[in-house]
Amino acid sequence: MPDYNAPLRDLRFVLHQVFDAPALWARLPALSETVDAATADAILEEAAKVTGSLIAPLNRSGDEEGAQWVAGEVHTPAGFKQAYATYIQGGWVGLSGNPAYGGMGMPKMLAVAFEEMLYAANASFALYSALSSGACLAIDAHASEALKSTYLPPMYEGRWAGSMCLTEAHAGTDLGIIRTRAEPQADGSYSISGSKIFITGGEQDLTENIIHLVLAKLPGAPAGPKGISLFLVPKVLVGGDGSLGARNAVSCGSIEHKMGIKASSTCVINFDGAQGWLIGEANKGLAAMFTMMNYERLSIGIQGIGCAEASYQAAAAYARERLQSRAASGKVAPDQAADPIIVHADVRRMLLSMKAMTEGGRAFACYVGQQLDLSKFSEDAAERQQAEALVALLTPLAKAFFTDSGLDSCVHGQQVFGGHGYIREWGQEQLVRDVRIAQIYEGTNGIQALDLLGRKVVAGGGAALRQFATEVRHFAHQHETPYGGELVTALERLEAVSGWLLEQAKTDANAVGAASVEYLHLFGYVAYAYMWARMAAVAEARRADDEAFYAGKLATAAFYFARLLPRTLSLEASIRAGSAPLYGLAAEQF
Amino acid sequence: MPDYNAPLRDLRFVLHQVFDAPALWARLPALSETVDAATADAILEEAAKVTGSLIAPLNRSGDEEGAQWVAGEVHTPAGFKQAYATYIQGGWVGLSGNPAYGGMGMPKMLAVAFEEMLYAANASFALYSALSSGACLAIDAHASEALKSTYLPPMYEGRWAGSMCLTEAHAGTDLGIIRTRAEPQADGSYSISGSKIFITGGEQDLTENIIHLVLAKLPGAPAGPKGISLFLVPKVLVGGDGSLGARNAVSCGSIEHKMGIKASSTCVINFDGAQGWLIGEANKGLAAMFTMMNYERLSIGIQGIGCAEASYQAAAAYARERLQSRAASGKVAPDQAADPIIVHADVRRMLLSMKAMTEGGRAFACYVGQQLDLSKFSEDAAERQQAEALVALLTPLAKAFFTDSGLDSCVHGQQVFGGHGYIREWGQEQLVRDVRIAQIYEGTNGIQALDLLGRKVVAGGGAALRQFATEVRHFAHQHETPYGGELVTALERLEAVSGWLLEQAKTDANAVGAASVEYLHLFGYVAYAYMWARMAAVAEARRADDEAFYAGKLATAAFYFARLLPRTLSLEASIRAGSAPLYGLAAEQF
């Protein structure tokens, strides 16, 4: 299996040049003391080291061995424990955590780059800390001071992990019907009872404690999503001084046998009168949990980019080395039995599709990170508000489009290997299996699409989309870029389809659901066109500095606009066919 | 894991009604004595029984256990041996084999229906006999009378199996550079030495003997594909009376650990001076092997349909039962906590996409089978020739389009299950893993696309395409169908793109490779439009006979034309972008 090398040059290109993060950080007081270009580069380089040399080497062996469940305990694969202990010493779990409780306070624009490396190196390993970071965010935003000061420092340190307990056997997408109960106790805590499934890292042997964030219903709570509360339930009870006490009534009933991310434990977690504490207000748990879920959605989206990058690196290297058949335009390596397959047009098509989508996604992740930073750190209320609107609009898009593209890319990366792509030892098939979950968990991509079109576009009357469109149009008109025209045309297509859908939704209850996934993809291709136009503008301006690098960016942009962006044509046509073709069959006719 | 139930009604609809196979059989003397509608139905029903109750139940357990290699021997998973012994008693391996040597002489139109069931029930199990059938075809077409009478009867019986030994570690797509050697011996046989990889069923414990068809080079043979010969090399040497003798110098060096089809052994087969016999003429082995490869290509294509059908059946059943959230247009099951997810538009989109593509593929497989039967059994030379031209044109299309659609469908079928789709015990993820190989082996789908566009369209100046177009246009004009207009429009798009590519190919050596995969998909959607127009025409004419069934067909046709056929728009635009965007980067810039 090939090594993973973090694409530092590309990550810096996006962070420093395309989005000029250092200039942004310098103008935001909360960040100006914390981070600058040099600090960011040092962090990226350290991240490249830890992911490439410590974590990536455990990816294949972790897949072969898998997480094991023995008598209620989970054993992570060989090497995970030691690697995790080394990893947390770098403070990575608290990278963008609140400094008041031991976090490093780094901007999200930087954190997304780190997350990409972590998922690329080893998606299963990444999940053990990704959930902790998200749980911390929800605790920091909604919990009492007492809970925050007790739980956040060891969680940022990585000594304790977090988990997210939402799903029950009968309730996945539809959390309104969960059955887990919380009974108030005399001491102000709650007794939690119920069974949760699909709990990533719900039990493991890496940390001293696991802090479960659990959705449950209080006695007499309203039915449906408005009767759900959020509780903090530690695996091991914690004393007032932060010391570990008795085991809480929390147990792992079993783990799942899955298609991929086999080294990540996916647990049934049983709460049998476990002691827990309310986070935030009663019956407002879903909103509080969404702080974590939105974080995880972007994070899981980035899993799509990370796996795709890993697959791309391996496929490009293989295509340069594997000799097979001759170039259509004449021998390229006449002294060898055949030419390297990278000469063949269809191999290039697959590699360029991967490259264009992965780099477009990387830029878009940084862009969403920028909006998250603005919404959190800007001193200007209007700027914060605008950024928040973009974050709300673009988070479901990022989660689903990164991961749908991630599967496509990993399938391409497997195909480049021919028969070897199907063999486990070569590693490409694992990436297909590992990335596949990212389209399913954290809200299926169908649910993300409903959120994007239904809640973020239609319910808001298209306001957030208009804001995004104004920004894109502003860019296209202000900068000299060979793709300004194509970008505006694509944007107009998105706007026209959106306007048509806003109209349809007034009279057709199924209009949103019928169009949502194609709409998300249409939006995604337009968003990436914006990213590629921005990257091309920078590459043209800087071309003289490093011809090979920037010419490569321009050639990839050219490929994107010529060969991938036209997919919007079909998406529009499918959407405009409306919902009627979906309702021609009765349930029993399927 | 849900049961597999062969879609007998749909198979009969295609065979009897859409293509009126019994009428064709009645007019072909070689078939009129062999098969009629009642015989065909009896065979289909028996096939449904054997696949549904004998073979399908071994699919999940076979995946868990996998084929095992111990000291040179392969052990198939528990139950395979007994099931195989029962299975071959039905004569299925020789279903369309030559009656002169013990085959049943059944038409391919019928055999494709059986193959679909077999792959749907258990793709790994199916492969153990699929290779035998293909090997028999090559032996029957090219081998000497002595070889035929010795080897075909036990192979048709299924007592002996066949294998196809092409690939070497350094030579997959590029067979011209193989290194396996064949030295002529005094007795007229050859001594074969070399190592082959990725040999499906190259070793197993199901049959007494395995007949390897091996590509090798004779001393002094020309370099490249014109210096390859085909040899028959039995695992166990066979006496003049057909009795088994000593082991030949053929051994299994190891088996691969794969993403899927784990119960199928994928072997390294070493020939160490093994005794073999020439099939056909020296140095013309590749052409002879293509008899088998073309058979296997259609067969492997049908694996795509079979896996997709299995995934669809499970997904449709799950969507009818799983309760989650409410229908957008109001509660459908007010007495339950939530509605069945089949009410949701996006779930319907996924199911209908699977249904439309799988049924389109099923019809197209029958259509290609019809052409194979005409090319083999017609008494009219012109009709045979026309059918042969269509078979040559449509075989690569069927292989690649069935399997690309097959992966899409299995991914959809997994997605319908949400988180459960990722868990092994539910079975949907296995179908994704199992179907994925079908895009890779038997010539990758990229190679099929080059064959279709380069050899079958461009090299022939578009003649075969014109023949196909004439037939489609004839149908569209002759029959009253609501989709005649859409069909002709789609056909014209294919013709226009083909014409443009014929021109491009004159001056651009990369024109074919740059367009080939998108071209194959464009062709595929047009071909399925032809199938759906034919199915819709029949359904309209017969609607009064069985409203629910035929209205279902019409609704699926409506979905296909409204929501899937528009994909041709983007495919055309991508193709017309030409090859230049693929060659903007040097190999080291990837």
Side-chain angles (χ1 to χ4, degrees), chain B residues 169-196:
Chain B
H170 69 294
T173 295
D174 192 357
L175 291 169
I177 57 176
I178 60 167
R179 293 179 191 141
T180 299
R181 301 280 152 191
E183 295 284 339
Q185 304 297 298
D187 65 355
S189 71
Y190 293 80
S191 171
I192 313 288
S193 294
S195 185
K196 298 285 183 177

mmCIF file of all heavy atoms in Angstrom, chain B residues 169-196:
data_model
loop_
_atom_site.group_PDB
_atom_site.id
_atom_site.type_symbol
_atom_site.label_atom_id
_atom_site.label_comp_id
_atom_site.label_asym_id
_atom_site.label_seq_id
_atom_site.Cartn_x
_atom_site.Cartn_y
_atom_site.Cartn_z
ATOM 1 N N ALA B 169 1.086 -11.150 -14.158
ATOM 2 C CA ALA B 169 1.263 -10.030 -13.231
ATOM 3 C C ALA B 169 1.532 -8.718 -13.961
ATOM 4 O O ALA B 169 1.051 -7.664 -13.560
ATOM 5 C CB ALA B 169 2.391 -10.331 -12.254
ATOM 6 N N HIS B 170 2.256 -8.795 -15.075
ATOM 7 C CA HIS B 170 2.629 -7.570 -15.783
ATOM 8 C C HIS B 170 1.735 -7.319 -17.003
ATOM 9 O O HIS B 170 1.926 -6.350 -17.716
ATOM 10 C CB HIS B 170 4.083 -7.679 -16.245
ATOM 11 C CG HIS B 170 4.241 -8.701 -17.340
ATOM 12 N ND1 HIS B 170 4.028 -10.042 -17.119
ATOM 13 C CD2 HIS B 170 4.520 -8.576 -18.651
ATOM 14 C CE1 HIS B 170 4.190 -10.689 -18.245
ATOM 15 N NE2 HIS B 170 4.477 -9.838 -19.182
ATOM 16 N N ALA B 171 0.783 -8.205 -17.251
ATOM 17 C CA ALA B 171 0.020 -8.128 -18.499
ATOM 18 C C ALA B 171 -1.456 -8.413 -18.248
ATOM 19 O O ALA B 171 -1.848 -9.556 -18.048
ATOM 20 C CB ALA B 171 0.572 -9.122 -19.519
ATOM 21 N N GLY B 172 -2.255 -7.359 -18.194
ATOM 22 C CA GLY B 172 -3.687 -7.535 -18.002
ATOM 23 C C GLY B 172 -4.404 -7.138 -19.277
ATOM 24 O O GLY B 172 -4.664 -7.957 -20.159
ATOM 25 N N THR B 173 -4.683 -5.854 -19.396
ATOM 26 C CA THR B 173 -5.261 -5.322 -20.634
ATOM 27 C C THR B 173 -4.369 -5.641 -21.828
ATOM 28 O O THR B 173 -4.851 -5.964 -22.910
ATOM 29 C CB THR B 173 -5.409 -3.796 -20.483
ATOM 30 O OG1 THR B 173 -6.362 -3.529 -19.461
ATOM 31 C CG2 THR B 173 -5.849 -3.155 -21.777
ATOM 32 N N ASP B 174 -3.069 -5.567 -21.598
ATOM 33 C CA ASP B 174 -2.091 -5.667 -22.678
ATOM 34 C C ASP B 174 -1.583 -7.093 -22.790
ATOM 35 O O ASP B 174 -0.479 -7.426 -22.367
ATOM 36 C CB ASP B 174 -0.943 -4.704 -22.355
ATOM 37 C CG ASP B 174 0.007 -4.507 -23.544
ATOM 38 O OD1 ASP B 174 -0.203 -5.154 -24.582
ATOM 39 O OD2 ASP B 174 0.941 -3.702 -23.403
ATOM 40 N N LEU B 175 -2.388 -7.973 -23.428
ATOM 41 C CA LEU B 175 -2.036 -9.392 -23.494
ATOM 42 C C LEU B 175 -0.879 -9.650 -24.443
ATOM 43 O O LEU B 175 -0.263 -10.712 -24.394
ATOM 44 C CB LEU B 175 -3.255 -10.220 -23.890
ATOM 45 C CG LEU B 175 -4.345 -10.278 -22.808
ATOM 46 C CD1 LEU B 175 -5.623 -10.871 -23.373
ATOM 47 C CD2 LEU B 175 -3.859 -11.085 -21.608
ATOM 48 N N GLY B 176 -0.585 -8.691 -25.296
ATOM 49 C CA GLY B 176 0.509 -8.857 -26.256
ATOM 50 C C GLY B 176 1.852 -9.121 -25.604
ATOM 51 O O GLY B 176 2.754 -9.681 -26.232
ATOM 52 N N ILE B 177 1.991 -8.747 -24.321
ATOM 53 C CA ILE B 177 3.298 -8.887 -23.678
ATOM 54 C C ILE B 177 3.371 -10.061 -22.693
ATOM 55 O O ILE B 177 4.255 -10.107 -21.838
ATOM 56 C CB ILE B 177 3.731 -7.568 -22.994
ATOM 57 C CG1 ILE B 177 2.687 -7.109 -21.955
ATOM 58 C CG2 ILE B 177 3.936 -6.461 -24.030
ATOM 59 C CD1 ILE B 177 3.093 -5.858 -21.154
ATOM 60 N N ILE B 178 2.460 -11.033 -22.817
ATOM 61 C CA ILE B 178 2.514 -12.193 -21.906
ATOM 62 C C ILE B 178 3.802 -12.982 -22.110
ATOM 63 O O ILE B 178 4.419 -12.923 -23.174
ATOM 64 C CB ILE B 178 1.307 -13.157 -22.096
ATOM 65 C CG1 ILE B 178 1.255 -13.710 -23.524
ATOM 66 C CG2 ILE B 178 0.022 -12.499 -21.690
ATOM 67 C CD1 ILE B 178 0.297 -14.878 -23.671
ATOM 68 N N ARG B 179 4.176 -13.722 -21.059
ATOM 69 C CA ARG B 179 5.455 -14.455 -21.091
ATOM 70 C C ARG B 179 5.288 -15.976 -21.006
ATOM 71 O O ARG B 179 6.276 -16.698 -21.107
ATOM 72 C CB ARG B 179 6.334 -13.992 -19.922
ATOM 73 C CG ARG B 179 6.780 -12.543 -20.055
ATOM 74 C CD ARG B 179 7.633 -12.101 -18.863
ATOM 75 N NE ARG B 179 7.820 -10.659 -18.894
ATOM 76 C CZ ARG B 179 7.807 -9.858 -17.822
ATOM 77 N NH1 ARG B 179 7.617 -10.363 -16.621
ATOM 78 N NH2 ARG B 179 7.973 -8.557 -17.934
ATOM 79 N N THR B 180 4.083 -16.452 -20.783
ATOM 80 C CA THR B 180 3.883 -17.903 -20.703
ATOM 81 C C THR B 180 4.255 -18.541 -22.043
ATOM 82 O O THR B 180 3.885 -18.042 -23.102
ATOM 83 C CB THR B 180 2.426 -18.215 -20.317
ATOM 84 O OG1 THR B 180 2.174 -17.645 -19.042
ATOM 85 C CG2 THR B 180 2.169 -19.707 -20.266
ATOM 86 N N ARG B 181 5.007 -19.632 -21.955
ATOM 87 C CA ARG B 181 5.563 -20.268 -23.153
ATOM 88 C C ARG B 181 4.953 -21.640 -23.381
ATOM 89 O O ARG B 181 4.602 -22.331 -22.418
ATOM 90 C CB ARG B 181 7.079 -20.470 -22.992
ATOM 91 C CG ARG B 181 7.863 -19.220 -22.749
ATOM 92 C CD ARG B 181 8.097 -18.466 -24.061
ATOM 93 N NE ARG B 181 8.248 -17.036 -23.814
ATOM 94 C CZ ARG B 181 8.255 -16.114 -24.775
ATOM 95 N NH1 ARG B 181 8.072 -16.456 -26.045
ATOM 96 N NH2 ARG B 181 8.410 -14.842 -24.482
ATOM 97 N N ALA B 182 4.881 -22.032 -24.644
ATOM 98 C CA ALA B 182 4.407 -23.381 -25.017
ATOM 99 C C ALA B 182 5.441 -24.021 -25.935
ATOM 100 O O ALA B 182 5.709 -23.495 -27.016
ATOM 101 C CB ALA B 182 3.062 -23.280 -25.712
ATOM 102 N N GLU B 183 6.024 -25.138 -25.491
ATOM 103 C CA GLU B 183 7.028 -25.850 -26.301
ATOM 104 C C GLU B 183 6.390 -27.076 -26.930
ATOM 105 O O GLU B 183 5.851 -27.936 -26.216
ATOM 106 C CB GLU B 183 8.192 -26.321 -25.404
ATOM 107 C CG GLU B 183 9.012 -25.228 -24.767
ATOM 108 C CD GLU B 183 9.981 -24.569 -25.759
ATOM 109 O OE1 GLU B 183 10.298 -25.207 -26.802
ATOM 110 O OE2 GLU B 183 10.388 -23.418 -25.502
ATOM 111 N N PRO B 184 6.491 -27.206 -28.251
ATOM 112 C CA PRO B 184 5.905 -28.387 -28.913
ATOM 113 C C PRO B 184 6.598 -29.673 -28.457
ATOM 114 O O PRO B 184 7.816 -29.684 -28.274
ATOM 115 C CB PRO B 184 6.183 -28.148 -30.403
ATOM 116 C CG PRO B 184 6.625 -26.727 -30.524
ATOM 117 C CD PRO B 184 7.164 -26.308 -29.200
ATOM 118 N N GLN B 185 5.812 -30.720 -28.261
ATOM 119 C CA GLN B 185 6.344 -32.021 -27.862
ATOM 120 C C GLN B 185 6.193 -33.010 -29.024
ATOM 121 O O GLN B 185 5.421 -32.779 -29.955
ATOM 122 C CB GLN B 185 5.584 -32.563 -26.642
ATOM 123 C CG GLN B 185 5.590 -31.621 -25.456
ATOM 124 C CD GLN B 185 6.995 -31.366 -24.917
ATOM 125 O OE1 GLN B 185 7.677 -32.272 -24.457
ATOM 126 N NE2 GLN B 185 7.447 -30.105 -25.015
ATOM 127 N N ALA B 186 6.930 -34.108 -28.918
ATOM 128 C CA ALA B 186 6.939 -35.085 -30.008
ATOM 129 C C ALA B 186 5.554 -35.681 -30.274
ATOM 130 O O ALA B 186 5.199 -36.008 -31.406
ATOM 131 C CB ALA B 186 7.931 -36.207 -29.666
ATOM 132 N N ASP B 187 4.727 -35.792 -29.226
ATOM 133 C CA ASP B 187 3.417 -36.443 -29.378
ATOM 134 C C ASP B 187 2.332 -35.485 -29.874
ATOM 135 O O ASP B 187 1.152 -35.847 -29.891
ATOM 136 C CB ASP B 187 2.990 -37.067 -28.041
ATOM 137 C CG ASP B 187 2.747 -36.014 -26.961
ATOM 138 O OD1 ASP B 187 3.010 -34.808 -27.222
ATOM 139 O OD2 ASP B 187 2.295 -36.393 -25.861
ATOM 140 N N GLY B 188 2.724 -34.258 -30.241
ATOM 141 C CA GLY B 188 1.713 -33.314 -30.733
ATOM 142 C C GLY B 188 1.144 -32.436 -29.660
ATOM 143 O O GLY B 188 0.427 -31.476 -29.957
ATOM 144 N N SER B 189 1.461 -32.750 -28.407
ATOM 145 C CA SER B 189 1.013 -31.852 -27.325
ATOM 146 C C SER B 189 2.070 -30.778 -27.099
ATOM 147 O O SER B 189 3.062 -30.703 -27.824
ATOM 148 C CB SER B 189 0.756 -32.661 -26.042
ATOM 149 O OG SER B 189 1.974 -33.101 -25.494
ATOM 150 N N TYR B 190 1.837 -29.922 -26.081
ATOM 151 C CA TYR B 190 2.752 -28.814 -25.802
ATOM 152 C C TYR B 190 3.077 -28.808 -24.318
ATOM 153 O O TYR B 190 2.262 -29.241 -23.492
ATOM 154 C CB TYR B 190 2.109 -27.470 -26.193
ATOM 155 C CG TYR B 190 1.916 -27.362 -27.689
ATOM 156 C CD1 TYR B 190 0.827 -27.986 -28.305
ATOM 157 C CD2 TYR B 190 2.831 -26.669 -28.474
ATOM 158 C CE1 TYR B 190 0.649 -27.913 -29.687
ATOM 159 C CE2 TYR B 190 2.667 -26.582 -29.852
ATOM 160 C CZ TYR B 190 1.568 -27.207 -30.450
ATOM 161 O OH TYR B 190 1.409 -27.130 -31.814
ATOM 162 N N SER B 191 4.256 -28.304 -24.024
ATOM 163 C CA SER B 191 4.656 -28.154 -22.624
ATOM 164 C C SER B 191 4.514 -26.678 -22.260
ATOM 165 O O SER B 191 5.177 -25.813 -22.824
ATOM 166 C CB SER B 191 6.103 -28.617 -22.464
ATOM 167 O OG SER B 191 6.556 -28.283 -21.171
ATOM 168 N N ILE B 192 3.618 -26.411 -21.306
ATOM 169 C CA ILE B 192 3.243 -25.033 -20.984
ATOM 170 C C ILE B 192 3.915 -24.614 -19.683
ATOM 171 O O ILE B 192 3.804 -25.313 -18.671
ATOM 172 C CB ILE B 192 1.709 -24.901 -20.793
ATOM 173 C CG1 ILE B 192 0.936 -25.605 -21.924
ATOM 174 C CG2 ILE B 192 1.289 -23.448 -20.616
ATOM 175 C CD1 ILE B 192 0.984 -24.936 -23.240
ATOM 176 N N SER B 193 4.588 -23.442 -19.717
ATOM 177 C CA SER B 193 5.239 -22.937 -18.518
ATOM 178 C C SER B 193 4.983 -21.439 -18.363
ATOM 179 O O SER B 193 5.189 -20.666 -19.305
ATOM 180 C CB SER B 193 6.752 -23.161 -18.582
ATOM 181 O OG SER B 193 7.026 -24.544 -18.567
ATOM 182 N N GLY B 194 4.572 -21.080 -17.168
ATOM 183 C CA GLY B 194 4.327 -19.670 -16.894
ATOM 184 C C GLY B 194 3.393 -19.537 -15.715
ATOM 185 O O GLY B 194 2.898 -20.534 -15.183
ATOM 186 N N SER B 195 3.155 -18.307 -15.323
ATOM 187 C CA SER B 195 2.313 -18.065 -14.156
ATOM 188 C C SER B 195 1.195 -17.089 -14.511
ATOM 189 O O SER B 195 1.448 -16.018 -15.058
ATOM 190 C CB SER B 195 3.185 -17.490 -13.033
ATOM 191 O OG SER B 195 2.422 -17.349 -11.862
ATOM 192 N N LYS B 196 -0.011 -17.495 -14.213
ATOM 193 C CA LYS B 196 -1.181 -16.662 -14.517
ATOM 194 C C LYS B 196 -1.803 -16.170 -13.212
ATOM 195 O O LYS B 196 -1.824 -16.910 -12.212
ATOM 196 C CB LYS B 196 -2.215 -17.486 -15.298
ATOM 197 C CG LYS B 196 -1.714 -17.983 -16.651
ATOM 198 C CD LYS B 196 -1.665 -16.857 -17.674
ATOM 199 C CE LYS B 196 -1.240 -17.341 -19.053
ATOM 200 N NZ LYS B 196 -1.263 -16.234 -20.054
#
